[in-house]
Amino acid sequence: MELGECTRNPGYQEADREADRAADITTTNGPEESRDSTGVCLDSDAVEYTQIKPFAGMPKEVLLLYSSQARYRVPREILFWLTVACTLALVALSITVIALSPRCLSWWQVSPVYQVYLRSFKDSDGDGVGDLQGLQEQLHHFQYLNIKSVWITPFYRSPMRDFGYDVEDFKAIDPLFGTMHNFEELLAEMHSKGLKLIMDFIPNHTSDKHRWFNLSRTRDEHYKDYYVWADCNATAPKPNNWVSVFGNSSWTYDEVRGQCYLHQFLKEQPDLNFRNPHVRKEMIDILHFWLGKGVDGFRMDAVKHLLEATHLRDEPQVDPNKPPDSVTSEWDLHHDYTTSQLGLHDLLREWRAEMDKFSREPGRYRFMVTESYDYHEVDKTMMYYGTTLVKESDFPFNFYLLDLPQNTSGLWVQHLVHLWMSNMPRGQWPNWVVGNHDKPRITSSAGRRYIHVINMLLLTLQGTATTYYGEEIGMENINVTQSQIQDPAGKYNASASRDPQRSPMQWSGDMNAGFNNKTNITWLPVHPDYSRVNVEAQKKEEGSLLAQYRFLNTLRQSELPLQRGWFCFVHADINVFSYLRELDGLDRAFLIVLNFGKESAVTDLSTVSELPDQLMVLMSTDRENDGKVLHKSRILTAAGEGLVIQYSTYTRFNPSHPMQCYVSEKACYLAAIDILYKC
């Protein structure tokens, strides 16, 4: 097309010709035509451009002429304000979701805490004692079980009078267990596998070989008050009637200093003086040392013993008529002046605050759990949770299920569970323990027939279970002869020995149960049943205790009702303990039926209207009952059998039975967008 003198749109030739004629008339009769820098023809009076439609490649001046027209301006403004509105709506929705979403569960809440008694877990160098490298070799075991948190007993440098709980150097590894390099390698590999490491922290006392004690006994100006000293002499009566946990007086005369020092445990474990600010600072420095290396948490040992009354008065006797000279056991006294003293919780809060400084990095929360046997004084245990304003431990260890073997019945188990749940401060997280390095193995104390149902209890209750090594395969206590006793408590009293529950881990049917593959040495005897009760054998057996433990732990981590849902009692009798796990808004829930009695039982739950009439067994500790359909009025269980029953319903039990239900943090499920929200 011939463009003529001015630029024209080829699609509109007719409009161009009309414009040309108009231009001729203007040239003849009107002002002279002028051009801008783009070649567009404009008269001296800026005659309005007459092009009908905008065209591709139009100059800015032409675009401006059209952009102000309503048919172009209005859609543009609509799109702009629609974009603004959508952006604001997305921001508001994001804020709402964040505000309404419940707090995510932390790593210490999503899986059991697995206790490794290091001396007995895995020996890598053939000396008969477990070590750090041996533990590193077995990390795959935790992955197999879907365990996330591993608590390791002490590996500090120590004379080993109490197997590591008598610390000579808090910042060194005992050569028996390896080197600091071994520890750092272990920690790095654990983190690479998604595992968390919890250390034992032992603040109450040190070894009598510790540098601080040696300086204190010589009255060094800085260290003279690092421990609790009192005037006495070698022949005169002790400062008071206080008794050690291991028996006999808790005072020992030191010839170098010419005074008695306090030890609430062995005489080789002198108590630190936490009323001395220098001691408090030393312990904080130790926390910083290990936190700086990347440790994920601490189990605070024997915390109720940290402070003693300064007046040093005699403690009242349980039996006032007992001759004072015969008071030699901790059970002979009411420990009014040696445990749970004023100022104890200030110490724990101080340590919690220091740990929180290392928890600011996302995903690196530092966990704290306290150990305190308070027996019937459960209110004292609950104080370790802290207050609504100041936090202490994430949870204190719950030792009340250690009493389970006293009376294997559904009513007794319900009582022990209710004892904790009803006293636990609102919004806190529960914990469950049935065994540790100080108490007999649950398989031995309760009986082998009950270990399956006990593991089912631990892994379906609300909260975090603690698994002592070997409980996942049903290890039992060993028999230890007088000549084989290693435990100092057992040397005072053979019946109090803790050696039976500390035997080597049973990995396989090989020599030494796979604990030590290099030499025929083990620091304690291996249980004679290791050829059939071991990890390797149970991995091959579908219905084994190990397989059931793994299934239940995986189920717990994959199902919201078991993770963080309501826990509701529905039934208890002489045999059976039964409860529900449900989450508001979710169309499925779980019924747990556990027979702790001595005989088979039929449980009638027909009065629980929230349950459907027909129930299907998802898992039974007796594999033959897996998948069975039961009527809720007739749920049959054998002695020691447990059932996990999954059912579908939107009808919830907890709204109409608030006195029977507990939840740490209430949350509801919104199926439409697959999220949890606070409700």
Side-chain angles (χ1 to χ4, degrees), residues 198-218:
I198 302 167
M199 279 183 63
D200 245 323
F201 184 60
I202 308 161
N204 180 69
H205 48 262
T206 69
S207 165
D208 61 351
K209 304 299 182 185
H210 198 290
R211 184 177 66 91
W212 300 343
F213 187 73
N214 288 324
L215 290 169
S216 184
R217 66 199 304 225
T218 58

Side-chain angles (χ1 to χ4, degrees), residues 472-675:
E472 71 274 28
I473 58 173
M475 282 178 59
E476 298 187 59
N477 292 345
I478 60 170
N479 293 318
V480 179
T481 65
Q482 188 73 36
S483 62
Q484 293 173 320
I485 291 177
Q486 304 287 327
D487 181 25
K491 292 177 180 179
Y492 280 105
N493 178 2
S495 64
S497 175
R498 299 166 294 179
D499 291 332
Q501 58 263 27
R502 298 177 175 181
S503 62
M505 178 67 176
Q506 295 164 203
W507 294 107
S508 69
D510 299 335
M511 179 180 69
N512 302 320
F515 166 73
N516 175 5
N517 297 323
K518 296 185 177 180
T519 63
N520 195 20
I521 303 172
T522 58
W523 79 283
L524 280 173
V526 175
H527 198 289
D529 71 358
Y530 76 91
S531 59
R532 60 182 180 83
V533 179
N534 64 70
V535 173
E536 186 179 274
Q538 293 195 19
K539 278 185 175 180
K540 299 174 183 177
E541 183 184 345
E542 290 187 14
S544 68
L545 183 61
L546 182 71
Q548 291 181 359
Y549 183 100
R550 184 187 187 210
F551 175 84
L552 286 168
N553 190 29
T554 303
L555 181 70
R556 179 184 182 275
Q557 294 180 42
S558 62
E559 290 289 347
L560 287 171
L562 295 174
Q563 276 183 21
R564 61 189 310 159
W566 286 91
F567 166 82
C568 299
F569 300 111
V570 292
H571 179 82
D573 59 31
I574 193 65
N575 293 304
V576 171
F577 173 44
S578 183
Y579 49 91
L580 299 177
R581 299 302 312 277
E582 60 184 24
L583 185 73
D584 294 322
L586 196 65
D587 64 350
R588 63 185 180 277
F590 294 88
L591 168 67
I592 314 298
V593 182
L594 309 173
N595 189 334
F596 286 94
K598 294 179 171 56
E599 58 188 14
S600 298
V602 175
T603 304
D604 182 2
L605 298 181
S606 57
T607 58
V608 184
S609 60
E610 292 82 2
L611 288 173
D613 290 337
Q614 299 294 320
L615 300 166
M616 189 174 76
V617 177
L618 176 65
M619 176 199 166
S620 169
T621 54
D622 180 352
R623 287 190 63 220
E624 292 183 0
N625 293 328
D626 288 355
K628 278 190 176 180
V629 177
L630 307 173
H631 195 278
K632 70 177 181 179
S633 64
R634 186 173 176 80
I635 302 174
L636 176 64
T637 51
E641 183 181 7
L643 305 176
V644 175
I645 297 170
Q646 181 176 323
Y647 62 95
S648 298
T649 180
Y650 282 104
T651 305
R652 290 289 167 256
F653 183 86
N654 70 81
S656 55
H657 303 83
M659 301 305 293
Q660 296 173 237
C661 297
Y662 302 91
V663 70
S664 290
E665 184 177 354
K666 187 178 178 182
C668 295
Y669 179 72
L670 185 60
I673 52 177
D674 190 28
I675 64 165

Side-chain angles (χ1 to χ4, degrees), residues 231-241 249-253 260 314:
D231 290 333
C232 71
N233 59 54
T235 58
K238 303 299 184 187
N240 54 38
N241 70 344
S249 176
S250 57
W251 295 97
T252 292
Y253 179 72
C260 283
D314 282 355

Side-chain angles (χ1 to χ4, degrees), residues 395-513:
F395 54 72
F397 275 136
N398 171 9
F399 295 124
Y400 292 95
L401 281 183
L402 292 172
D403 293 334
L404 190 151
Q406 293 180 12
N407 180 0
T408 51
S409 75
L411 288 169
W412 179 241
V413 177
Q414 184 191 44
H415 164 72
L416 296 176
V417 172
H418 180 67
L419 178 65
W420 190 270
M421 300 301 281
S422 61
N423 285 283
M424 184 178 67
R426 184 176 181 181
Q428 297 295 351
W429 190 258
N431 163 257
W432 312 98
V433 178
V434 295
N436 59 34
H437 62 290
D438 289 328
K439 300 297 178 181
R441 287 192 175 275
I442 193 67
T443 310
S444 296
S445 56
R448 175 162 288 279
R449 74 189 303 185
Y450 296 106
I451 186 60
H452 289 78
V453 75
I454 289 171
N455 276 345
M456 183 175 284
L457 172 74
L458 292 177
L459 295 171
T460 56
L461 284 171
Q462 181 192 2
T464 298
T466 302
T467 296
Y468 184 48
Y469 82 99
E471 285 178 357
E472 71 274 28
I473 58 173
M475 282 178 59
E476 298 187 59
N477 292 345
I478 60 170
N479 293 318
V480 179
T481 65
Q482 188 73 36
S483 62
Q484 293 173 320
I485 291 177
Q486 304 287 327
D487 181 25
K491 292 177 180 179
Y492 280 105
N493 178 2
S495 64
S497 175
R498 299 166 294 179
D499 291 332
Q501 58 263 27
R502 298 177 175 181
S503 62
M505 178 67 176
Q506 295 164 203
W507 294 107
S508 69
D510 299 335
M511 179 180 69
N512 302 320

